[in-house]
Amino acid sequence: MTPLLLAALLVVQDTTSIDRGVRIGIVYRPGVRPGLVMLPRAGMGLDSVRAIVGRDLDYSDRFEIITLPAGDSIRLAGTSSSTRSTATRRSTGTGTGGAQSSSALNYPLYQALGADFALDVTAAGDTTVFTLHDIAASGIRRTVRARLPRAGDASFRMAVHRLADQALQAALGAPGIAATRVLFVRDGKVYRIDQDGADQQLVSSTDRQAMSPAWGADGQHFAYMEFQAGKGWLYLQEMATGKRTAVPTTGTALDFTPAFSPDGQTLAFSRATEEGTDLYTINLKNSCCLRRLTVGRFSDNLSPTFSPDGQRIAFVSTRPGLPQIYVMAADGTDQQLFAPFDYGVTGASNAPEWSPDGQSVAFHRDVAGTLQVFVLDVRTRTVRQLTSVGRNEDPTWAPDSRHLAFVSDRSGYRQLWIIDLETGRIRPLLQQSGERLPAWSPRLSEASSSTP
Amino acid sequence: MKSVSLFLALGLGAAIVAASSCGGKKPAQTAPTPNADSAAAADRARQDSIDAANRAAQDEAERVRRQREADSLAALSRASEDVRNTLAAMIHFDLDKSNVRSDDMGSLDQKVAILQANPDLRIRIGGHCDERGSDEYNLALGNRRAQSAKQYLVSHGIDAGRIETQSFGEERPLVDGHDESAWSQNRRAEFEVVSGGDNLHRP
């Protein structure tokens, strides 16, 4: 009875709210993204911080970003400074001052604009203050203070991205993907780029042709393949120092498609020999114990990807003729078909990557002579096609398991794109051509993103 | 060839210098007042001209000998070149396939014969793919193609130890193009000499 009564009350409340011309908060609009407004602050500096954070929150695809019509015509602060104690109680700021000036907004105005949240970025001395307002509650949800590196400093952008993720966490209770990077290959070199398309840097160090970069789960190092004279070497490289070491036993054959286990102790990879291509693992911690997981003989097995619990490995096998997506236990037992296909009808399927939440495996499949990105639902073992415009390949998951970066020629030349599976929104990661084999990082902690 | 002609030119030059030097002395030596000195000079001149003639003859013989040698070397290297070209002839594959096509079996049979006629010859087979497939899978497919070509040679009696294989995936296209013509040319196996290919005999 009580829940019913409550529901009835809520409905009444909704109706009256709508009658008063006031918009309703997120909890009453399932399926609709909350509105977020970035408060303009003329003449206070921090324009670049505001721009980076605004774009990060936009690229999270979790908010309707509301652009204010001519900022100066809107009264930013309310007439009274009656900040509710219930709101300030939740503030997690470590200092005092700075927040008070922005604590009282003209909440009804922003509510009328459709905002559920307002983010205010201000400076207090050398401290940058993020204040997240909960419009429906007419109060401050959270205040975050941070001493940012100077703009232009190598660690500046990543520090700002981290603040954007804190704002998103405060608003929605979910971790963001602003503080992440993508590795990719262009002209045989490995590059890294921030998820917003900024700060592109060369990370591979030799003239040999590089392929197949793969992140370690801690985001502090990566593996990749170097290709020369028909042989493939696997290397591990520390992101911060650029120091690299050859993977034990590599260099005798063609080793490719490295993949770290989630605990970082094992590297799975493909090795092509006279017997064909098979999957192996090696213990990175003790630099030992090469272990063969598949014995293909007349089929090839390649492109391993670990489930996030480390228990299973999805991979490509040509045992049905054309390459298709298979799965096995991480010790090589219990090999079986993973992504269903129609024999003689379905095209080649390749490049699987297990999502960080464990629920999906993204891959690409030949559809009428063109590659398209697909997602396999691990539980139901059903696949759905995500793309259909142009050639789309080599998908890689963002740590939120809802964004994928992939290579597409939809604009006329091959470049990296990002799709949000929830909204279907697609954006180019960078406006250059020739990129391939992207690998999206895990969330990068302070330690993992430092630059020498 | 260049060094041979240079040698010939030097030889001819030396002969001309020798001839002109005796020609310059002769008028003085035919003067009507013979004496001991002039008789000795005449003898010397006669001997010089005989020596010069002998040298010229020797030079000519040497030139002919060298020319014959060069001709036969050229013939040999031409034959070797033909064999090498036959050996290097590429074979091609169907889309996503690694089996040897029937129209390439003749080409592989010729390579078998060459390998049999040149027991010291060792070769390397490189497998290649077109850009249509997946970048990473193409490394495995290129490996299969090279293995498939090798297997054909081995099954026709060639020692497997004489044949190395490599995969280049789609990383070394022969033709830069994005149509079936380019793709079909890029789906190939290449054959190169590793060692023992300096002087190849015809089968």
Side-chain angles (χ1 to χ4, degrees):
Chain A
M1 277 307 290
T2 313
L4 271 175
L5 189 65
L6 267 175
L9 281 170
L10 283 173
V11 169
V12 170
Q13 206 174 22
D14 281 358
T15 316
T16 51
S17 296
I18 288 163
D19 284 346
R20 288 207 309 269
V22 178
R23 299 281 288 269
I24 309 158
I26 171 67
V27 286
Y28 304 114
R29 293 184 292 158
V32 179
R33 298 186 298 171
L36 181 137
V37 62
M38 290 287 296
L39 298 182
R41 285 279 182 174
M44 285 192 65
L46 297 176
D47 286 346
S48 64
V49 175
R50 249 179 239 110
I52 293 169
V53 169
R55 197 165 52 206
D56 283 345
L57 295 175
D58 181 23
Y59 286 172
S60 79
D61 292 309
R62 292 173 187 267
F63 300 101
E64 294 290 345
I65 302 295
I66 296 158
T67 310
L68 292 179
D72 54 351
S73 68
I74 292 185
R75 208 157 40 118
L76 289 172
T79 45
S80 80
S81 60
S82 58
T83 311
R84 290 184 185 182
S85 58
T86 51
T88 47
R89 197 185 60 209
R90 303 181 64 179
S91 166
T92 58
T94 51
T96 54
Q100 209 54 36
S101 61
S102 60
S103 62
L105 285 187
N106 186 345
Y107 291 113
L109 169 65
Y110 290 106
Q111 202 155 22
L113 288 167
D116 300 282
F117 300 102
L119 184 60
D120 199 8
V121 179
T122 54
D126 58 355
T127 304
T128 302
V129 182
F130 273 48
T131 309
L132 181 74
H133 297 266
D134 182 335
I135 303 293
S138 298
I140 293 174
R141 173 73 69 90
R142 188 166 300 172
T143 304
V144 177
R145 291 156 211 281
R147 248 179 221 156
L148 291 175
R150 272 181 303 106
D153 188 282
S155 57
F156 169 72
R157 294 189 71 94
M158 201 41 72
V160 176
H161 290 321
R162 232 169 260 120
L163 282 179
D165 280 341
Q166 283 185 271
L168 191 143
Q169 177 86 44
L172 304 177
I177 55 166
T180 61
R181 286 175 171 142
V182 175
L183 290 171
F184 63 88
V185 174
R186 184 175 56 229
D187 296 332
K189 305 264 195 298
V190 181
Y191 292 81
R192 71 156 209 234
I193 193 167
D194 289 1
Q195 52 72 36
D196 63 349
D199 204 16
Q200 185 183 152
Q201 284 187 29
L202 176 69
V203 292
S204 65
S205 53
T206 72
D207 287 333
R208 288 196 198 156
Q209 184 177 359
M211 286 179 77
S212 308
W215 287 92
D218 59 3
Q220 295 184 28
H221 54 280
F222 65 101
Y224 68 107
M225 171 222 191
E226 267 187 7
F227 187 61
Q228 192 183 48
K231 278 189 182 172
W233 282 258
L234 297 180
Y235 287 95
L236 307 175
Q237 184 166 324
E238 286 177 24
M239 193 53 91
T241 63
K243 179 173 166 261
R244 64 176 209 147
T245 49
V247 170
T249 79
T250 197
T252 57
L254 173 57
D255 292 345
F256 60 112
T257 59
F260 286 96
S261 65
D263 64 8
Q265 305 217 342
T266 305
L267 190 79
F269 60 96
S270 322
R271 174 168 287 179
T273 68
E274 303 234 332
E275 293 178 52
T277 301
D278 277 301
L279 290 173
Y280 292 77
T281 53
I282 194 143
N283 183 323
L284 291 176
K285 198 180 171 204
N286 303 320
S287 293
C288 78
C289 316
L290 181 72
R291 186 168 175 183
R292 185 169 175 178
L293 300 187
T294 62
V295 183
R297 298 191 67 79
F298 300 107
S299 66
D300 292 323
N301 299 283
L302 60 147
S303 300
T305 174
F306 280 90
S307 62
D309 63 6
Q311 298 295 305
R312 288 190 286 174
I313 295 175
F315 62 104
V316 170
S317 180
T318 61
R319 61 195 71 179
L322 284 181
Q324 293 294 350
I325 310 300
Y326 280 70
V327 68
M328 62 184 170
D331 63 1
T333 60
D334 195 20
Q335 301 186 10
Q336 54 178 283
L337 181 68
F338 208 7
F341 69 96
D342 291 330
Y343 192 84
V345 178
T346 307
S349 306
N350 271 293
E353 189 175 303
W354 213 308
S355 68
D357 67 4
Q359 293 178 17
S360 317
V361 174
F363 61 99
H364 67 236
R365 175 172 275 180
D366 189 321
V367 178
T370 306
L371 302 181
Q372 299 297 350
V373 174
F374 282 70
V375 171
L376 165 74
D377 184 299
V378 168
R379 193 177 56 80
T380 62
R381 300 216 176 173
T382 53
V383 297
R384 68 183 170 117
Q385 184 175 343
L386 279 189
T387 59
S388 52
V389 179
R391 170 180 166 138
N392 304 281
E393 60 191 303
D394 289 316
T396 176
W397 291 101
D400 62 2
S401 295
R402 64 177 271 174
H403 288 87
L404 282 170
F406 59 102
V407 181
S408 177
D409 67 356
R410 60 186 58 223
S411 60
Y413 49 88
R414 277 187 207 182
Q415 64 183 101
L416 298 180
W417 290 75
I418 290 172
I419 185 171
D420 173 34
L421 273 61
E422 302 282 323
T423 63
R425 181 187 181 199
I426 293 184
R427 65 176 172 96
L429 173 57
L430 77 177
Q431 304 283 2
Q432 279 174 295
S433 67
E435 290 83 22
R436 59 181 191 155
L437 301 167
W440 204 319
S441 76
R443 294 186 177 91
L444 298 172
S445 65
E446 200 125 15
S448 62
S449 59
S450 60
T451 310
Chain B
M1 279 308 285
K2 195 173 262 179
S3 62
V4 170
S5 54
L6 187 64
F7 182 88
L8 286 175
L10 284 173
L12 280 170
I16 287 163
V17 169
S20 61
S21 62
C22 1
K25 282 178 182 172
K26 264 179 187 165
Q29 284 150 7
T30 51
T33 50
N35 54 38
D37 282 351
S38 66
D43 283 348
R44 237 179 6 252
R46 192 158 53 84
Q47 193 56 46
D48 281 355
S49 100
I50 289 167
D51 287 351
N54 284 344
R55 272 201 303 276
Q58 273 169 15
D59 286 352
E60 176 60 13
E62 177 68 11
R63 189 189 67 78
V64 168
R65 192 182 65 76
R66 283 176 183 278
Q67 184 60 52
R68 284 202 181 122
E69 200 173 275
D71 283 353
S72 79
L73 267 177
L76 265 175
S77 85
R78 260 199 310 280
S80 187
E81 194 63 35
D82 286 349
V83 172
R84 199 188 312 278
N85 288 338
T86 307
L87 189 67
M90 288 177 264
I91 64 168
H92 296 88
F93 297 87
D94 290 335
L95 178 63
D96 266 329
K97 294 282 196 299
S98 59
N99 56 298
V100 170
R101 296 198 314 216
S102 55
D103 58 336
D104 278 325
M105 287 180 182
S107 171
L108 288 175
D109 289 340
Q110 287 178 315
K111 298 184 209 305
V112 169
I114 291 168
L115 283 159
Q116 279 166 343
N118 298 274
D120 292 334
L121 177 61
R122 295 167 55 86
I123 63 166
R124 186 183 295 127
I125 307 176
H128 298 259
C129 306
D130 67 25
E131 60 172 9
R132 260 185 304 178
S134 307
D135 295 8
E136 288 161 338
Y137 169 64
N138 275 340
L139 292 170
L141 182 60
N143 185 56
R144 277 278 162 203
R145 285 176 174 167
Q147 295 303 332
S148 167
K150 173 176 177 172
Q151 203 49 48
Y152 186 96
L153 302 180
V154 170
S155 69
H156 285 71
I158 306 301
D159 177 15
R162 295 171 63 194
I163 308 167
E164 295 173 23
T165 56
Q166 289 179 334
S167 172
F168 292 92
E170 62 176 79
E171 309 304 317
R172 305 276 187 282
L174 186 68
V175 181
D176 285 322
H178 308 291
D179 52 24
E180 181 48 44
S181 160
W183 294 329
S184 60
Q185 291 180 73
N186 287 335
R187 294 191 299 264
R188 69 198 192 276
E190 292 185 355
F191 302 81
E192 59 172 320
V193 171
V194 175
S195 62
D198 291 340
N199 206 344
L200 293 176
H201 304 293
R202 284 185 208 271

